[in-house]
Amino acid sequence: MQNSGENEVVQQFLDQVCRHIKVKKMHPEIREELTNHIEDRIEEFQQLGSSKETAIHKAIEEMGSPDVIGKSMNETHKPVLNWRIALLLTIISLIGIVGAVCIDVSGSSRIPDLTARKALQIGIGLIFLVFFYFFDYQKLKKYSDQVFFLLLFMNAFILMNSAMINGVKGYLALGPFSINMLYSSVLLFLLALAGMKPIKEMNWIHTIFHTFYRGVFPLLLITYIGNSVLYGVIYAAGYIMMMWFTKRNVKQLAVVTMIPIVAMLYFTMPHFSILKDRFMTFFQPIGNYAYIQMKSLEAIQSAGWFGRGFASSNPGLDYVQSDSLFPYLIYCFGWIFGLITIILIGLFLGYLVQLLSTVKESYGRHLIFVVLFFFTIRFAWPILMSFGFLPFVGMELPFIGYGGSNQWIDLSAIGLVLSIYRRKNMIPAAAFSSSHLSSSES
């Protein structure tokens, strides 16, 4: 007698079920799970005295309609869009467009045609978002090591051959566009780390090597050569977070984190006097940086609940298209507008946190952790520095500030997150449940 998995009646039943399930990669697991369920019932019927053939037909009949089962499973495993994140992203981006229009009309920006440039950058970023939304993110994992090495090589080459712009090196010119590779690489480095071999699987020799390779070398490029302490600190914090998730024990974690921390402190030494001035200015507001911070607070305090009106001019605010855009928007539209913006950003980050409990696949969860960590800093710092709670640094709000080509990276990252959510029910071994069978039987 044939094994039930090879029986023609069983195969016809499985074929009919899978005909309704559009996610082809789920077919092998669904067939295996259904076959196991059928075999269990066949064994039970045989123990009650039925012949093999009779038991098979009874088991198939008990399963219910293959069309109903197939349609139910197709609904469960079909790709889904997280509309809440997509909607919040749209609203937050529209706030950025409104801000650009206000600046253009008021004549406050040194960038000509700011609205058109902003719209173009968002348009290009949306193309990247859509691409990564439909791209199977799991295919990126096997290239994580190559991406990390390529980023190291590209940054070394660009930093050695690029000029200093606004005190920072690492800009890559692509025709009319200039890409800040330091900003882009921080997020890309961390995303690559999420897919690389976890340190808990390494011996001590490999642990030490990868501590320098993954922890020290990027900091050398970003902080020491690239002249950016801020991006270096963000990368160091993200690196420590990823090491925590993939550690073998506390002793190993201490080694892989303390070496990069010491290296970071050493690479920061050439910038010590500047950092000292920044912090002294923060605690004792005197000098140029204090002027920017004080003007930001003045703009917010003078706005009132409903602001000074659309496209109001405030000559005291510098970098109004980027670092000072949030206080400028409050100055124009009032405290209520600022509060609504903060709530929208909080909801956006909150829904990213919620994804961590929804997505079960480990690589996808690590990617979401990286994006959540990165955007939490990128949103929180500009808002807090506008109110005087953090030192003033060159950092604009994602999707709202002008950002230039940085928006490509920001929108690509959200496209990746949406891709992870889209496929959360399409990953074998992640979502199959016998509830399909019970629902079809009822």
Side-chain angles (χ1 to χ4, degrees), residues 159-177:
L159 287 169
M160 295 297 184
N161 295 277
S162 65
M164 191 84 72
I165 300 177
N166 295 328
V168 177
K169 299 177 69 176
Y171 283 85
L172 174 64
L174 292 177
F177 301 107

mmCIF file with all atom_site columns, all heavy atoms in Angstrom, residues 159-177:
data_model
loop_
_atom_site.group_PDB
_atom_site.id
_atom_site.type_symbol
_atom_site.label_atom_id
_atom_site.label_alt_id
_atom_site.label_comp_id
_atom_site.label_asym_id
_atom_site.label_entity_id
_atom_site.label_seq_id
_atom_site.pdbx_PDB_ins_code
_atom_site.Cartn_x
_atom_site.Cartn_y
_atom_site.Cartn_z
_atom_site.occupancy
_atom_site.B_iso_or_equiv
_atom_site.pdbx_formal_charge
_atom_site.auth_seq_id
_atom_site.auth_comp_id
_atom_site.auth_asym_id
_atom_site.auth_atom_id
_atom_site.pdbx_PDB_model_num
ATOM 1   N N   . LEU A 1 159 ? 36.394 59.177 1.330   1.00 0.00 ? 159 LEU A N   1
ATOM 2   C CA  . LEU A 1 159 ? 36.956 60.061 2.350   1.00 0.00 ? 159 LEU A CA  1
ATOM 3   C C   . LEU A 1 159 ? 38.364 60.523 1.987   1.00 0.00 ? 159 LEU A C   1
ATOM 4   O O   . LEU A 1 159 ? 38.753 61.653 2.295   1.00 0.00 ? 159 LEU A O   1
ATOM 5   C CB  . LEU A 1 159 ? 36.971 59.348 3.702   1.00 0.00 ? 159 LEU A CB  1
ATOM 6   C CG  . LEU A 1 159 ? 35.601 59.176 4.380   1.00 0.00 ? 159 LEU A CG  1
ATOM 7   C CD1 . LEU A 1 159 ? 35.707 58.242 5.564   1.00 0.00 ? 159 LEU A CD1 1
ATOM 8   C CD2 . LEU A 1 159 ? 35.031 60.515 4.808   1.00 0.00 ? 159 LEU A CD2 1
ATOM 9   N N   . MET A 1 160 ? 39.127 59.653 1.347   1.00 0.00 ? 160 MET A N   1
ATOM 10  C CA  . MET A 1 160 ? 40.482 60.019 0.961   1.00 0.00 ? 160 MET A CA  1
ATOM 11  C C   . MET A 1 160 ? 40.509 60.985 -0.223  1.00 0.00 ? 160 MET A C   1
ATOM 12  O O   . MET A 1 160 ? 41.500 61.669 -0.458  1.00 0.00 ? 160 MET A O   1
ATOM 13  C CB  . MET A 1 160 ? 41.280 58.761 0.600   1.00 0.00 ? 160 MET A CB  1
ATOM 14  C CG  . MET A 1 160 ? 41.504 57.818 1.758   1.00 0.00 ? 160 MET A CG  1
ATOM 15  S SD  . MET A 1 160 ? 42.484 58.555 3.083   1.00 0.00 ? 160 MET A SD  1
ATOM 16  C CE  . MET A 1 160 ? 42.644 57.131 4.179   1.00 0.00 ? 160 MET A CE  1
ATOM 17  N N   . ASN A 1 161 ? 39.397 61.049 -0.962  1.00 0.00 ? 161 ASN A N   1
ATOM 18  C CA  . ASN A 1 161 ? 39.398 61.838 -2.199  1.00 0.00 ? 161 ASN A CA  1
ATOM 19  C C   . ASN A 1 161 ? 38.333 62.928 -2.238  1.00 0.00 ? 161 ASN A C   1
ATOM 20  O O   . ASN A 1 161 ? 38.145 63.557 -3.290  1.00 0.00 ? 161 ASN A O   1
ATOM 21  C CB  . ASN A 1 161 ? 39.184 60.913 -3.404  1.00 0.00 ? 161 ASN A CB  1
ATOM 22  C CG  . ASN A 1 161 ? 40.320 59.939 -3.604  1.00 0.00 ? 161 ASN A CG  1
ATOM 23  O OD1 . ASN A 1 161 ? 41.341 60.256 -4.202  1.00 0.00 ? 161 ASN A OD1 1
ATOM 24  N ND2 . ASN A 1 161 ? 40.149 58.717 -3.101  1.00 0.00 ? 161 ASN A ND2 1
ATOM 25  N N   . SER A 1 162 ? 37.634 63.155 -1.126  1.00 0.00 ? 162 SER A N   1
ATOM 26  C CA  . SER A 1 162 ? 36.562 64.161 -1.132  1.00 0.00 ? 162 SER A CA  1
ATOM 27  C C   . SER A 1 162 ? 36.987 65.394 -0.354  1.00 0.00 ? 162 SER A C   1
ATOM 28  O O   . SER A 1 162 ? 37.830 65.337 0.538   1.00 0.00 ? 162 SER A O   1
ATOM 29  C CB  . SER A 1 162 ? 35.278 63.581 -0.521  1.00 0.00 ? 162 SER A CB  1
ATOM 30  O OG  . SER A 1 162 ? 35.466 63.283 0.841   1.00 0.00 ? 162 SER A OG  1
ATOM 31  N N   . ALA A 1 163 ? 36.359 66.502 -0.702  1.00 0.00 ? 163 ALA A N   1
ATOM 32  C CA  . ALA A 1 163 ? 36.642 67.762 -0.024  1.00 0.00 ? 163 ALA A CA  1
ATOM 33  C C   . ALA A 1 163 ? 35.767 67.901 1.219   1.00 0.00 ? 163 ALA A C   1
ATOM 34  O O   . ALA A 1 163 ? 34.756 67.214 1.376   1.00 0.00 ? 163 ALA A O   1
ATOM 35  C CB  . ALA A 1 163 ? 36.385 68.934 -0.971  1.00 0.00 ? 163 ALA A CB  1
ATOM 36  N N   . MET A 1 164 ? 36.143 68.787 2.105   1.00 0.00 ? 164 MET A N   1
ATOM 37  C CA  . MET A 1 164 ? 35.383 69.062 3.319   1.00 0.00 ? 164 MET A CA  1
ATOM 38  C C   . MET A 1 164 ? 34.216 69.981 2.976   1.00 0.00 ? 164 MET A C   1
ATOM 39  O O   . MET A 1 164 ? 34.383 71.016 2.334   1.00 0.00 ? 164 MET A O   1
ATOM 40  C CB  . MET A 1 164 ? 36.279 69.722 4.363   1.00 0.00 ? 164 MET A CB  1
ATOM 41  C CG  . MET A 1 164 ? 35.659 69.816 5.733   1.00 0.00 ? 164 MET A CG  1
ATOM 42  S SD  . MET A 1 164 ? 35.862 68.317 6.705   1.00 0.00 ? 164 MET A SD  1
ATOM 43  C CE  . MET A 1 164 ? 37.628 68.397 7.075   1.00 0.00 ? 164 MET A CE  1
ATOM 44  N N   . ILE A 1 165 ? 32.988 69.573 3.373   1.00 0.00 ? 165 ILE A N   1
ATOM 45  C CA  . ILE A 1 165 ? 31.795 70.385 3.160   1.00 0.00 ? 165 ILE A CA  1
ATOM 46  C C   . ILE A 1 165 ? 31.100 70.546 4.500   1.00 0.00 ? 165 ILE A C   1
ATOM 47  O O   . ILE A 1 165 ? 30.721 69.561 5.134   1.00 0.00 ? 165 ILE A O   1
ATOM 48  C CB  . ILE A 1 165 ? 30.832 69.728 2.139   1.00 0.00 ? 165 ILE A CB  1
ATOM 49  C CG1 . ILE A 1 165 ? 31.534 69.543 0.789   1.00 0.00 ? 165 ILE A CG1 1
ATOM 50  C CG2 . ILE A 1 165 ? 29.574 70.572 1.976   1.00 0.00 ? 165 ILE A CG2 1
ATOM 51  C CD1 . ILE A 1 165 ? 30.670 68.849 -0.243  1.00 0.00 ? 165 ILE A CD1 1
ATOM 52  N N   . ASN A 1 166 ? 30.930 71.803 4.946   1.00 0.00 ? 166 ASN A N   1
ATOM 53  C CA  . ASN A 1 166 ? 30.315 72.101 6.241   1.00 0.00 ? 166 ASN A CA  1
ATOM 54  C C   . ASN A 1 166 ? 31.022 71.361 7.377   1.00 0.00 ? 166 ASN A C   1
ATOM 55  O O   . ASN A 1 166 ? 30.383 70.879 8.320   1.00 0.00 ? 166 ASN A O   1
ATOM 56  C CB  . ASN A 1 166 ? 28.821 71.745 6.221   1.00 0.00 ? 166 ASN A CB  1
ATOM 57  C CG  . ASN A 1 166 ? 28.034 72.602 5.261   1.00 0.00 ? 166 ASN A CG  1
ATOM 58  O OD1 . ASN A 1 166 ? 28.361 73.768 5.047   1.00 0.00 ? 166 ASN A OD1 1
ATOM 59  N ND2 . ASN A 1 166 ? 26.996 72.032 4.660   1.00 0.00 ? 166 ASN A ND2 1
ATOM 60  N N   . GLY A 1 167 ? 32.324 71.236 7.286   1.00 0.00 ? 167 GLY A N   1
ATOM 61  C CA  . GLY A 1 167 ? 33.106 70.603 8.344   1.00 0.00 ? 167 GLY A CA  1
ATOM 62  C C   . GLY A 1 167 ? 33.101 69.100 8.324   1.00 0.00 ? 167 GLY A C   1
ATOM 63  O O   . GLY A 1 167 ? 33.640 68.461 9.225   1.00 0.00 ? 167 GLY A O   1
ATOM 64  N N   . VAL A 1 168 ? 32.471 68.499 7.309   1.00 0.00 ? 168 VAL A N   1
ATOM 65  C CA  . VAL A 1 168 ? 32.364 67.046 7.231   1.00 0.00 ? 168 VAL A CA  1
ATOM 66  C C   . VAL A 1 168 ? 32.805 66.577 5.854   1.00 0.00 ? 168 VAL A C   1
ATOM 67  O O   . VAL A 1 168 ? 32.486 67.200 4.835   1.00 0.00 ? 168 VAL A O   1
ATOM 68  C CB  . VAL A 1 168 ? 30.900 66.584 7.491   1.00 0.00 ? 168 VAL A CB  1
ATOM 69  C CG1 . VAL A 1 168 ? 30.776 65.080 7.347   1.00 0.00 ? 168 VAL A CG1 1
ATOM 70  C CG2 . VAL A 1 168 ? 30.447 67.019 8.874   1.00 0.00 ? 168 VAL A CG2 1
ATOM 71  N N   . LYS A 1 169 ? 33.551 65.467 5.820   1.00 0.00 ? 169 LYS A N   1
ATOM 72  C CA  . LYS A 1 169 ? 33.958 64.867 4.564   1.00 0.00 ? 169 LYS A CA  1
ATOM 73  C C   . LYS A 1 169 ? 33.042 63.690 4.255   1.00 0.00 ? 169 LYS A C   1
ATOM 74  O O   . LYS A 1 169 ? 32.276 63.226 5.098   1.00 0.00 ? 169 LYS A O   1
ATOM 75  C CB  . LYS A 1 169 ? 35.411 64.386 4.639   1.00 0.00 ? 169 LYS A CB  1
ATOM 76  C CG  . LYS A 1 169 ? 36.409 65.495 4.906   1.00 0.00 ? 169 LYS A CG  1
ATOM 77  C CD  . LYS A 1 169 ? 37.812 64.947 5.047   1.00 0.00 ? 169 LYS A CD  1
ATOM 78  C CE  . LYS A 1 169 ? 38.348 64.428 3.722   1.00 0.00 ? 169 LYS A CE  1
ATOM 79  N NZ  . LYS A 1 169 ? 39.757 63.986 3.842   1.00 0.00 ? 169 LYS A NZ  1
ATOM 80  N N   . GLY A 1 170 ? 33.133 63.193 3.015   1.00 0.00 ? 170 GLY A N   1
ATOM 81  C CA  . GLY A 1 170 ? 32.396 61.987 2.672   1.00 0.00 ? 170 GLY A CA  1
ATOM 82  C C   . GLY A 1 170 ? 31.231 62.190 1.741   1.00 0.00 ? 170 GLY A C   1
ATOM 83  O O   . GLY A 1 170 ? 30.318 61.359 1.695   1.00 0.00 ? 170 GLY A O   1
ATOM 84  N N   . TYR A 1 171 ? 31.234 63.274 0.960   1.00 0.00 ? 171 TYR A N   1
ATOM 85  C CA  . TYR A 1 171 ? 30.157 63.511 0.007   1.00 0.00 ? 171 TYR A CA  1
ATOM 86  C C   . TYR A 1 171 ? 30.506 62.886 -1.336  1.00 0.00 ? 171 TYR A C   1
ATOM 87  O O   . TYR A 1 171 ? 31.603 63.073 -1.859  1.00 0.00 ? 171 TYR A O   1
ATOM 88  C CB  . TYR A 1 171 ? 29.888 65.004 -0.162  1.00 0.00 ? 171 TYR A CB  1
ATOM 89  C CG  . TYR A 1 171 ? 29.105 65.605 0.974   1.00 0.00 ? 171 TYR A CG  1
ATOM 90  C CD1 . TYR A 1 171 ? 29.744 66.049 2.121   1.00 0.00 ? 171 TYR A CD1 1
ATOM 91  C CD2 . TYR A 1 171 ? 27.714 65.714 0.909   1.00 0.00 ? 171 TYR A CD2 1
ATOM 92  C CE1 . TYR A 1 171 ? 29.030 66.585 3.177   1.00 0.00 ? 171 TYR A CE1 1
ATOM 93  C CE2 . TYR A 1 171 ? 27.002 66.263 1.964   1.00 0.00 ? 171 TYR A CE2 1
ATOM 94  C CZ  . TYR A 1 171 ? 27.663 66.696 3.090   1.00 0.00 ? 171 TYR A CZ  1
ATOM 95  O OH  . TYR A 1 171 ? 26.944 67.233 4.134   1.00 0.00 ? 171 TYR A OH  1
ATOM 96  N N   . LEU A 1 172 ? 29.565 62.136 -1.898  1.00 0.00 ? 172 LEU A N   1
ATOM 97  C CA  . LEU A 1 172 ? 29.729 61.495 -3.189  1.00 0.00 ? 172 LEU A CA  1
ATOM 98  C C   . LEU A 1 172 ? 28.893 62.242 -4.219  1.00 0.00 ? 172 LEU A C   1
ATOM 99  O O   . LEU A 1 172 ? 27.672 62.368 -4.064  1.00 0.00 ? 172 LEU A O   1
ATOM 100 C CB  . LEU A 1 172 ? 29.287 60.022 -3.121  1.00 0.00 ? 172 LEU A CB  1
ATOM 101 C CG  . LEU A 1 172 ? 29.269 59.246 -4.433  1.00 0.00 ? 172 LEU A CG  1
ATOM 102 C CD1 . LEU A 1 172 ? 30.686 59.115 -5.007  1.00 0.00 ? 172 LEU A CD1 1
ATOM 103 C CD2 . LEU A 1 172 ? 28.653 57.866 -4.233  1.00 0.00 ? 172 LEU A CD2 1
ATOM 104 N N   . ALA A 1 173 ? 29.542 62.755 -5.260  1.00 0.00 ? 173 ALA A N   1
ATOM 105 C CA  . ALA A 1 173 ? 28.844 63.514 -6.307  1.00 0.00 ? 173 ALA A CA  1
ATOM 106 C C   . ALA A 1 173 ? 28.356 62.558 -7.387  1.00 0.00 ? 173 ALA A C   1
ATOM 107 O O   . ALA A 1 173 ? 29.128 61.802 -7.970  1.00 0.00 ? 173 ALA A O   1
ATOM 108 C CB  . ALA A 1 173 ? 29.769 64.563 -6.901  1.00 0.00 ? 173 ALA A CB  1
ATOM 109 N N   . LEU A 1 174 ? 27.027 62.606 -7.648  1.00 0.00 ? 174 LEU A N   1
ATOM 110 C CA  . LEU A 1 174 ? 26.417 61.819 -8.729  1.00 0.00 ? 174 LEU A CA  1
ATOM 111 C C   . LEU A 1 174 ? 25.647 62.779 -9.618  1.00 0.00 ? 174 LEU A C   1
ATOM 112 O O   . LEU A 1 174 ? 24.458 63.027 -9.413  1.00 0.00 ? 174 LEU A O   1
ATOM 113 C CB  . LEU A 1 174 ? 25.487 60.744 -8.167  1.00 0.00 ? 174 LEU A CB  1
ATOM 114 C CG  . LEU A 1 174 ? 26.131 59.592 -7.387  1.00 0.00 ? 174 LEU A CG  1
ATOM 115 C CD1 . LEU A 1 174 ? 25.062 58.665 -6.836  1.00 0.00 ? 174 LEU A CD1 1
ATOM 116 C CD2 . LEU A 1 174 ? 27.089 58.815 -8.277  1.00 0.00 ? 174 LEU A CD2 1
ATOM 117 N N   . GLY A 1 175 ? 26.340 63.337 -10.598 1.00 0.00 ? 175 GLY A N   1
ATOM 118 C CA  . GLY A 1 175 ? 25.698 64.318 -11.471 1.00 0.00 ? 175 GLY A CA  1
ATOM 119 C C   . GLY A 1 175 ? 25.256 65.524 -10.677 1.00 0.00 ? 175 GLY A C   1
ATOM 120 O O   . GLY A 1 175 ? 26.052 66.124 -9.941  1.00 0.00 ? 175 GLY A O   1
ATOM 121 N N   . PRO A 1 176 ? 23.951 65.882 -10.750 1.00 0.00 ? 176 PRO A N   1
ATOM 122 C CA  . PRO A 1 176 ? 23.469 67.060 -10.016 1.00 0.00 ? 176 PRO A CA  1
ATOM 123 C C   . PRO A 1 176 ? 23.248 66.792 -8.528  1.00 0.00 ? 176 PRO A C   1
ATOM 124 O O   . PRO A 1 176 ? 22.949 67.704 -7.773  1.00 0.00 ? 176 PRO A O   1
ATOM 125 C CB  . PRO A 1 176 ? 22.122 67.356 -10.699 1.00 0.00 ? 176 PRO A CB  1
ATOM 126 C CG  . PRO A 1 176 ? 21.660 66.032 -11.211 1.00 0.00 ? 176 PRO A CG  1
ATOM 127 C CD  . PRO A 1 176 ? 22.909 65.288 -11.609 1.00 0.00 ? 176 PRO A CD  1
ATOM 128 N N   . PHE A 1 177 ? 23.384 65.536 -8.106  1.00 0.00 ? 177 PHE A N   1
ATOM 129 C CA  . PHE A 1 177 ? 23.114 65.179 -6.718  1.00 0.00 ? 177 PHE A CA  1
ATOM 130 C C   . PHE A 1 177 ? 24.412 64.958 -5.957  1.00 0.00 ? 177 PHE A C   1
ATOM 131 O O   . PHE A 1 177 ? 25.406 64.490 -6.499  1.00 0.00 ? 177 PHE A O   1
ATOM 132 C CB  . PHE A 1 177 ? 22.257 63.906 -6.639  1.00 0.00 ? 177 PHE A CB  1
ATOM 133 C CG  . PHE A 1 177 ? 20.940 64.022 -7.343  1.00 0.00 ? 177 PHE A CG  1
ATOM 134 C CD1 . PHE A 1 177 ? 20.728 63.355 -8.549  1.00 0.00 ? 177 PHE A CD1 1
ATOM 135 C CD2 . PHE A 1 177 ? 19.914 64.788 -6.820  1.00 0.00 ? 177 PHE A CD2 1
ATOM 136 C CE1 . PHE A 1 177 ? 19.519 63.450 -9.203  1.00 0.00 ? 177 PHE A CE1 1
ATOM 137 C CE2 . PHE A 1 177 ? 18.699 64.890 -7.469  1.00 0.00 ? 177 PHE A CE2 1
ATOM 138 C CZ  . PHE A 1 177 ? 18.496 64.230 -8.665  1.00 0.00 ? 177 PHE A CZ  1
#
